[in-house]
Amino acid sequence: MKLCKVTFLPETRSVSVHTGSTLLKAASMAGVHINASCGGAGTCGKCRAVVQGDNFRTEPSIHLTPSEMKKGYVLSCLTVVQGDLTVEIPREAQKGVGVRIDTGRRPGGELLKIGDRKIRPRTKKLHLKITPPTLNDNISDLDRLFRELKKAGYKDLDITCGLPVLQKLGRTLRESHWDVTVTLFWNRCEIEIMDIEPGDVTLSRYGLAVDVGTTTVVAYLVHLNTGKIVDVESDLNAQIRCGEDVISRIVYATEIGTVEEVHNLVIETINGLVEKLAAKNGILPESIDSVVSAGNTTMTHLLYGIDPRYIREEPYIPTVNLFPVIKAREIGIRVNQNASIYSVPGTASYVGGDISAGILASGVYKSDALTIFIDIGTNGEIVLGNKDWMVAASCSAGPAFEGGGVKFGMRASRGAIEGVRIDRKTLEPTCHVIGDAEPQGICGSGMIDALAEMYLAGVINQKGKFVQGLKTDRIREGETGLEYVMVRRDEDKGEPDIVLASADIDNIIRTKGAIYAGFKTLINEMNLTFQDVERFVIAGGFGNYIEIEKAIIIGLLPDLPEERFHFIGNSSIIGSYLVLLSKELRLEAEEIARKMTYIELSVSHSFMDEYMSALFLPHTNMDDFPSVKEIIRKRKISG
Ligand code: FES
């Protein structure tokens, strides 16, 4: 095997790889991001690249048209390097710059506060002036420190001290003239001396709350004395180059790459956020002495570097739900190396710590009101219950609402169509694009809007199939069947029209059908009806942008009065923040994780039946959607 030079444009980054490497692998080695929703399985069509020259071998794909292939378009994961190459990454395959990330900021720029909770973080800084040793008082430095802590009131707890602190203890005590600040960490019934620093540094006390999302990672820098959120940063999870959903991520970690590689990518993302937060706020990363994270079970396994393969193998058992508290140095997070890392515990393989954090943040677990909580992402995790009981499930909705499996699907970022109206007479669309930019594709909220509008305008029928014989040139035969042209562009400039094709519509209907079937299965399991549900809490960044009426029209959400729906945004980061600040809330989060009863939908016959009934607009049973029935009746009268 010889070494070849591959140069990626537009960044002009080069890398040497052996012949036989895929372009996707070469890009990863060069640190060049290429969208790879399926993690290199060749099924999503997102890893497009334009190759110059002949030094490659590739496979055809249904995701590329003959004219695109003539222009040099290939799928990076199906293309093998055979010599020196120059490769252009088209805009649509580049990293989602400016992806709209819900950081938990409320309207007006305010960040959520801890409310009436007492701020009692698990770490504390204590300033001590210690009596120096003499020939008569000659106990060891560590015993002297223990004695001082007991004098300060820490009598009834076991106190421990790790090796890194011991290694610097003698020098720090003497160089500071016995005037030090110790950082104490409460780990259930014992206290650990986590760090020792010269002088009084009790005011320099920071913590980090992190939402480790499959797509994005959000971090709050928090002042632990006041509970104030000093700043917030977010970025795409660098693991995204290994696949967009958790299953592709597991496949990549266990079959294509390594667990270590995927683990390192998320650590790299978190370290990037720490660096930015520290630099912007003039603090040292070492002054962050406590980290709380929340993520789904796969993300948390990968954060800890734990092999996640059993999560996707029946009977779907994770290695751990309640993760042990570890030190930052153990996984390479660049804050204080002795800082504790705690992850909000999960309930099962597909109901993780992000959902426990969401239930904590939304207060479902202490409310009398019967509530449905849903976090819509690549998976739809659902919790039904109240303060007395909670059942949870996860429906593998698929990544359609995040842009996967839809030809012009993209995440909610600049250039994404997020809203659509279709004139009922002319069938002409009006699109609202994020950032008022040139449209590049369509994001989840745009898909919901488009489907609802196409249905109400009579472009598609209840099965989601195109209605024949309509007088409009917006419907045409495309390469994969009939399609609706949402935006006309200049094909000669390599910019094909943005369309929603039959296959895309089928995918969106499957996604919404899985989510609705998840709600219905839990409701049936508990012998309830949707009318019994008093509160419907929608979490997740995407949820914020859903138009409730449109989501009901396509049958994604049940037909309930609009006032019962509440948006909570990124509840995973809010829950992590609460746990960071309060030992009591940490225990409550653990209680939530234990209390939720998990129902595995993938083996439920009732779920499959509900799913089949939900593959219509809005549903086979229109009586469950009286408001949509009424809209359709009025449309027929007026039409
Ligand atoms: Fe190449 Fe999905 S088709 S990464």
Side-chain angles (χ1 to χ4, degrees), residues 376-380 395-402 404-406 447-448 504-518 542 554-556 607 611 614-615:
I376 306 180
T378 44
N379 263 8
C395 31
S396 37
F401 288 143
E402 301 215 329
V406 172
M447 290 177 205
I448 292 171
D504 300 329
I505 294 169
D506 290 346
N507 258 338
I508 300 168
I509 289 181
R510 279 197 289 272
T511 296
K512 75 92 190 171
I515 293 172
Y516 185 83
F542 165 60
I554 69 163
L556 167 64
F607 174 75
Y611 174 64
L615 296 179

Side-chain angles (χ1 to χ4, degrees), residues 159-319:
I159 305 174
T160 63
C161 180
L163 185 58
V165 176
L166 274 184
Q167 285 169 337
K168 66 175 185 176
L169 181 62
R171 185 172 34 84
T172 309
L173 287 172
R174 285 165 185 82
E175 285 179 3
S176 68
H177 307 290
W178 305 87
D179 180 348
V180 291
T181 298
V182 286
T183 306
L184 303 175
F185 172 69
W186 270 258
N187 197 5
R188 297 181 192 278
C189 314
E190 63 174 33
I191 292 182
E192 181 197 331
I193 302 168
M194 218 189 81
D195 201 5
I196 183 159
E197 297 163 89
D200 181 357
V201 287
T202 44
L203 290 181
S204 171
R205 241 183 113 209
Y206 295 93
L208 195 75
V210 190
D211 164 38
V212 185
T214 313
T215 306
T216 55
V217 179
V218 181
Y220 284 0
L221 177 68
V222 181
H223 198 284
L224 293 179
N225 284 345
T226 60
K228 186 169 173 256
I229 298 166
V230 179
D231 206 349
V232 51
E233 274 294 338
S234 55
D235 199 359
L236 281 184
N237 186 336
Q239 291 176 345
I240 208 138
R241 69 176 74 142
C242 312
E244 279 190 7
D245 56 57
V246 293
I247 298 299
S248 326
R249 225 53 82 77
I250 296 173
V251 170
Y252 187 93
T254 55
E255 293 171 19
I256 301 170
T258 62
V259 173
E260 194 188 355
E261 178 187 349
V262 185
H263 160 76
N264 287 341
L265 287 170
V266 71
I267 298 295
E268 180 190 299
T269 306
I270 295 173
N271 283 338
L273 297 179
V274 170
E275 254 172 53
K276 278 193 214 161
L277 286 167
K280 269 167 70 189
N281 295 284
I283 66 160
L284 291 172
E286 292 71 39
S287 56
I288 297 173
D289 54 40
S290 184
V291 179
V292 171
S293 79
N296 63 49
T297 307
T298 301
M299 286 305 106
T300 311
H301 275 59
L302 291 171
L303 175 70
Y304 281 65
I306 300 171
D307 189 337
R309 76 182 65 222
Y310 308 110
I311 287 174
R312 73 179 269 261
E313 291 176 9
E314 204 176 322
Y316 315 112
I317 306 297
T319 299

